[in-house]
Every structure is written in C-alpha cells, then in structure tokens.
Amino acid sequence: GAVVSQHPSWVICKSGTSVKIECRSLDFQATTMFWYRQFPKQSLMLMATSNEGSKATYEQGVEKDKFLINHASLTLSTLTVTSAHPEDSSFYICSARDRDLDNSPLHFGNGTRLTVT
Amino acid sequence: RKEVEQDPGPFNVPEGATVAFNCTYSNSASQSFFWYRQDCRKEPKLLMSVYSSGNEDGRFTAQLNRASQYISLLIRDSKLSDSATYLCVVRRPGYNKLIFGAGTRLAVHP
C-alpha cells in the first residue's frame, strides 16, 4: 500500500535553532502534501498545503516565515521550523495523496515529535 | 464554533459492549467524511469513509445525516484493541484539505 515516510520521528533542539522535517511519498507521486500540528489532547490542526513547484498555502494564523515549506519534487516536501521556541514543541504530521488515483485517501507520515528546550 | 465537533469522552466500556460516537460539522458544503483512528503518540489511520447511504465494515458502522450535518460511528462487540481516539474528519469543499475533530477517546476494559 501507499506509504509516506517522515523523518525524523523525534527531535530535541535548543531554543533559537532551526529544525527540518522531511516528508516523502515512497511509492506514489504527490503534487500536494499537507502539514498538520497536534498539541497534546487536541485535534490535528492544518498548518499549510505544500504545492510541488510553487509556494505553499498557509492557514490563517500560521507564520509562513517561521514555518518554511519546500516541495521541490513530486515525492518530497520539507517543513523547517525556524528559530524554534518551547511553544513550538508539538507533534508534526505530514500527509499526501496519490495524484494518479481519483478519490484516493490521504496517507499520513508517522509524525515527528519536536521538543524545544 | 469549531468546524468539526466531537464529544471528547472518554468512553469507558467493557469488552463486548456496543458504543456509538457522534460528530457534527458546520460547513454544509462539505464533500467527504471519514473516521480515522489514532493511537497514543501515533499518526492517524483511516478507519472508514462515510457514505450517504451508511456503510458497514465488520463491527463498524458509519452513518451520515447531511440535513442535520451529523456523522456517527457505531462499534459492536468492542475489543480491547479498539481502545484509541476516534477522529471525525471532513473534507472542505473544493479542496483536498481534511479538517479533523478533536477526537473521542475510547477505553475498552476487560
């Protein structure tokens, strides 16, 4: 079945540093990938839509200069949390859909647990 | 008002029980509906899509009421392994974006 690989699974970084998270579709091509964030005991919140070859579309309230998204190929999107702060500590999850299959479901990566100290 | 609302629970039920979860959504133009399951500290996994006519997959039955903007999930003969958070998910009209409810936590005990 379709697989989305996300890396790293967890990361601990110091306040002020930047962290890059990768999201890869392993056996399908995705023109669009989605980045979600989930705080403890809360729902997944859509942060942005990553579009291959063009700028990402950010949801209201999400700072585009803080959460940099790059979707350079049909199988890879990256999210960089710049100048991370403790309040950015969260579970970040990407998802993607097979562009060649109508009505295919979204496939989720295994998530990245970010802890900023 | 949240776009997708669910009772957070937890629902504590014994093995073998039948349990039902409800969900309401605010955007009447929403196109597709799903139930996902999320285990602790894991990514969500698709449990089932929800169709207008209602659909069943083994012990799981999903219903959609567009007039009331309401979705339900029924689990029969609960198993210990059903313990998880169940997420009601709605696709925004015209987009591939999925909007998640906060989830309903289910704990099945022996």
Side-chain angles (χ1 to χ4, degrees):
Chain A
V3 176
V4 173
S5 173
Q6 195 172 332
H7 178 81
S9 297
W10 59 270
V11 59
I12 300 172
C13 71
K14 290 187 177 180
S15 190
T17 61
S18 295
V19 174
K20 181 186 281 188
I21 303 170
E22 292 187 349
C23 180
R24 291 180 187 274
S25 55
L26 295 186
D27 53 0
F28 64 95
Q29 294 183 325
T31 48
T32 305
M33 292 185 177
F34 302 93
W35 287 95
Y36 289 84
R37 178 169 56 181
Q38 185 177 34
F39 292 106
K41 298 187 178 180
Q42 295 187 26
S43 60
L44 276 76
M45 297 299 296
L46 180 64
M47 298 176 67
T49 303
S50 172
N51 304 299
E52 186 266 336
S54 64
K55 290 182 180 179
T57 306
Y58 290 81
E59 295 297 301
Q60 193 172 14
V62 178
E63 299 174 58
K64 62 179 182 180
D65 294 330
K66 180 168 180 65
F67 298 99
L68 301 178
I69 290 173
N70 184 281
H71 194 151
S73 78
L74 287 170
T75 59
L76 174 64
S77 174
T78 61
L79 169 69
T80 301
V81 183
T82 62
S83 186
H85 290 281
E87 57 265 32
D88 297 324
S89 298
S90 188
F91 190 46
Y92 293 84
I93 310 176
C94 71
S95 67
R97 194 162 175 262
D98 189 331
R99 68 164 187 168
D100 294 325
L101 291 179
D102 289 340
N103 297 318
S104 67
L106 277 181
H107 302 283
F108 284 85
N110 51 304
T112 298
R113 194 160 299 279
L114 170 64
T115 302
V116 185
T117 59
Chain B
R1 184 188 170 190
K2 292 180 182 176
E3 198 164 342
V4 180
E5 298 218 49
Q6 292 181 253
D7 180 343
F11 284 61
N12 294 300
V13 304
E15 272 186 291
T18 295
V19 61
F21 306 139
N22 301 321
C23 166
T24 57
Y25 59 95
S26 61
N27 191 330
S28 60
S30 297
Q31 294 179 323
S32 307
F33 310 89
F34 310 88
W35 283 101
Y36 276 72
R37 169 192 169 132
Q38 186 175 26
D39 292 290
C40 191
R41 303 173 80 85
K42 299 279 189 181
E43 78 277 15
K45 294 187 185 296
L46 178 65
L47 180 65
M48 58 196 302
S49 302
V50 186
Y51 302 119
S52 298
S53 54
N55 49 299
E56 189 174 302
D57 182 1
R59 297 182 293 109
F60 300 85
T61 301
Q63 297 274 357
L64 167 64
N65 184 322
R66 283 190 183 270
S68 302
Q69 296 177 206
Y70 163 98
I71 306 157
S72 66
L73 176 67
L74 182 78
I75 304 176
R76 291 182 298 278
D77 188 23
S78 299
K79 311 289 184 193
L80 294 176
S81 57
D82 293 335
S83 298
T85 297
Y86 290 83
L87 305 172
C88 175
V89 183
V90 171
R91 176 173 284 152
R92 278 186 186 161
Y95 298 97
N96 271 323
K97 297 178 184 179
L98 294 186
I99 306 301
F100 286 76
T104 299
R105 201 152 63 84
L106 171 66
V108 182
H109 57 82

